[in-house]
Amino acid sequence: HVQLVESGGGSVQAGGSLRLSCAASGHTSSSYCMAWFRQAPGKEREAVACIDTDGSTYAADSVKGRFTISKDNAKNTLYLQMNSLKPEDTAMYYCAASDWARYCSGGPRSYEYRHWGHGTQVTVS
Protein backbone atom coordinates (compact mmCIF):
# COMPACT_ATOMS: atom_id res chain seq x y z
CA HIS A 1 0.00 0.00 0.00
CA VAL A 2 1.35 3.46 -0.93
CA GLN A 3 0.89 6.43 1.37
CA LEU A 4 1.35 9.99 0.17
CA VAL A 5 1.60 12.91 2.58
CA GLU A 6 1.70 16.47 1.28
CA SER A 7 3.14 19.43 3.14
CA GLY A 8 4.29 22.97 2.50
CA GLY A 9 1.00 24.65 1.76
CA GLY A 10 -0.01 27.92 3.36
CA SER A 11 -1.08 31.49 2.77
CA VAL A 12 1.06 33.80 0.69
CA GLN A 13 0.70 37.12 -1.06
CA ALA A 14 0.53 37.34 -4.81
CA GLY A 15 3.99 37.16 -6.31
CA GLY A 16 5.27 34.98 -3.51
CA SER A 17 6.59 31.43 -3.55
CA LEU A 18 5.87 28.13 -1.87
CA ARG A 19 7.38 24.67 -2.18
CA LEU A 20 5.11 21.71 -1.74
CA SER A 21 6.48 18.33 -0.75
CA CYS A 22 4.94 14.89 -1.03
CA ALA A 23 6.51 12.13 1.01
CA ALA A 24 5.79 8.66 -0.31
CA SER A 25 5.97 5.48 1.73
CA GLY A 26 5.01 1.87 1.29
CA HIS A 27 5.38 0.02 -2.00
CA THR A 28 6.64 2.99 -3.96
CA SER A 29 8.47 2.86 -7.24
CA SER A 30 10.40 5.41 -9.25
CA SER A 31 9.33 3.56 -12.39
CA TYR A 32 5.98 5.28 -12.69
CA CYS A 33 4.64 8.79 -13.02
CA MET A 34 3.91 11.09 -10.14
CA ALA A 35 1.86 14.23 -10.41
CA TRP A 36 0.30 17.23 -8.74
CA PHE A 37 -3.35 18.09 -9.18
CA ARG A 38 -5.35 20.91 -7.65
CA GLN A 39 -8.97 21.69 -6.96
CA ALA A 40 -10.42 25.07 -6.15
CA PRO A 41 -13.81 25.43 -4.43
CA GLY A 42 -16.63 24.92 -6.90
CA LYS A 43 -14.28 23.83 -9.65
CA GLU A 44 -13.22 20.52 -11.09
CA ARG A 45 -9.89 18.99 -10.22
CA GLU A 46 -7.23 19.94 -12.72
CA ALA A 47 -3.78 18.64 -13.55
CA VAL A 48 -0.90 20.87 -12.58
CA ALA A 49 2.28 18.97 -13.37
CA CYS A 50 3.75 15.51 -13.65
CA ILE A 51 7.11 13.78 -13.86
CA ASP A 52 7.68 10.49 -15.60
CA THR A 53 10.04 7.57 -15.24
CA ASP A 54 12.73 9.28 -17.35
CA GLY A 55 12.51 12.48 -15.35
CA SER A 56 10.71 14.32 -18.13
CA THR A 57 8.15 16.78 -16.88
CA TYR A 58 4.90 18.33 -17.96
CA ALA A 59 3.33 21.54 -16.66
CA ALA A 60 -0.11 22.87 -17.43
CA ASP A 61 -0.20 26.05 -19.50
CA SER A 62 -1.62 27.95 -16.54
CA VAL A 63 1.50 27.28 -14.46
CA LYS A 64 4.20 26.85 -17.08
CA GLY A 65 7.21 29.02 -16.34
CA ARG A 66 6.12 29.51 -12.74
CA PHE A 67 5.83 26.01 -11.26
CA THR A 68 8.48 23.29 -11.37
CA ILE A 69 7.96 19.65 -10.48
CA SER A 70 10.87 17.54 -9.29
CA LYS A 71 11.52 14.30 -7.50
CA ASP A 72 14.15 12.95 -5.15
CA ASN A 73 14.06 9.19 -5.60
CA ALA A 74 16.48 8.61 -2.72
CA LYS A 75 14.08 10.38 -0.38
CA ASN A 76 10.90 9.13 -2.07
CA THR A 77 9.74 12.71 -2.18
CA LEU A 78 7.98 14.70 -4.88
CA TYR A 79 8.20 18.49 -4.95
CA LEU A 80 6.36 21.37 -6.54
CA GLN A 81 8.18 24.68 -6.52
CA MET A 82 5.65 27.44 -7.06
CA ASN A 83 6.86 30.93 -7.90
CA SER A 84 5.06 34.12 -8.91
CA LEU A 85 1.90 32.85 -7.30
CA LYS A 86 -1.42 34.34 -8.35
CA PRO A 87 -4.78 34.44 -6.55
CA GLU A 88 -6.11 31.98 -9.16
CA ASP A 89 -3.58 29.42 -7.89
CA THR A 90 -5.59 29.18 -4.69
CA ALA A 91 -6.68 25.56 -4.32
CA MET A 92 -6.17 22.31 -2.48
CA TYR A 93 -3.13 20.64 -4.00
CA TYR A 94 -2.96 16.87 -4.22
CA CYS A 95 -0.04 14.57 -4.83
CA ALA A 96 -0.71 11.44 -6.86
CA ALA A 97 1.27 8.36 -7.84
CA SER A 98 0.61 5.93 -10.64
CA ASP A 99 1.39 2.26 -10.51
CA TRP A 100 1.29 1.67 -14.25
CA ALA A 101 1.77 4.90 -16.24
CA ARG A 102 5.41 5.46 -17.19
CA TYR A 103 5.09 8.61 -19.28
CA CYS A 104 2.99 11.74 -18.97
CA SER A 105 4.12 14.01 -21.78
CA GLY A 106 0.53 14.78 -22.63
CA GLY A 107 -0.30 15.69 -19.09
CA PRO A 108 -1.46 13.57 -16.16
CA ARG A 109 -4.96 12.08 -16.27
CA SER A 110 -6.70 11.31 -13.01
CA TYR A 111 -7.58 7.73 -13.98
CA GLU A 112 -3.89 6.90 -14.33
CA TYR A 113 -3.25 7.63 -10.66
CA ARG A 114 -4.31 5.10 -8.09
CA HIS A 115 -2.67 6.63 -5.04
CA TRP A 116 -3.58 10.06 -3.68
CA GLY A 117 -2.63 12.20 -0.73
CA HIS A 118 -5.09 14.12 1.41
CA GLY A 119 -4.00 17.46 0.03
CA THR A 120 -2.41 20.67 1.25
CA GLN A 121 -4.13 24.04 1.00
CA VAL A 122 -2.55 26.92 -0.89
CA THR A 123 -4.12 30.34 -0.53
CA VAL A 124 -2.85 33.34 -2.50
CA SER A 125 -4.19 36.78 -1.71
Side-chain angles (χ1 to χ4, degrees), residues 21-63:
S21 298
C22 172
S25 61
H27 294 289
T28 60
S29 173
S30 61
S31 299
Y32 305 110
C33 296
M34 293 190 75
W36 290 96
F37 291 80
R38 68 185 181 186
Q39 187 166 21
K43 295 187 177 181
E44 294 187 353
R45 182 169 55 194
E46 64 173 337
V48 176
C50 62
I51 185 166
D52 69 19
T53 187
D54 291 338
S56 297
T57 62
Y58 162 93
D61 288 343
S62 58
V63 305

Side-chain angles (χ1 to χ4, degrees), residues 92-121:
M92 185 72 78
Y93 283 71
Y94 298 92
C95 170
S98 178
D99 55 10
W100 62 270
R102 295 183 179 273
Y103 303 102
C104 62
S105 60
R109 292 169 282 267
S110 295
Y111 68 85
E112 295 174 324
Y113 295 83
R114 179 182 177 187
H115 309 289
W116 294 81
H118 292 294
T120 186
Q121 177 68 39

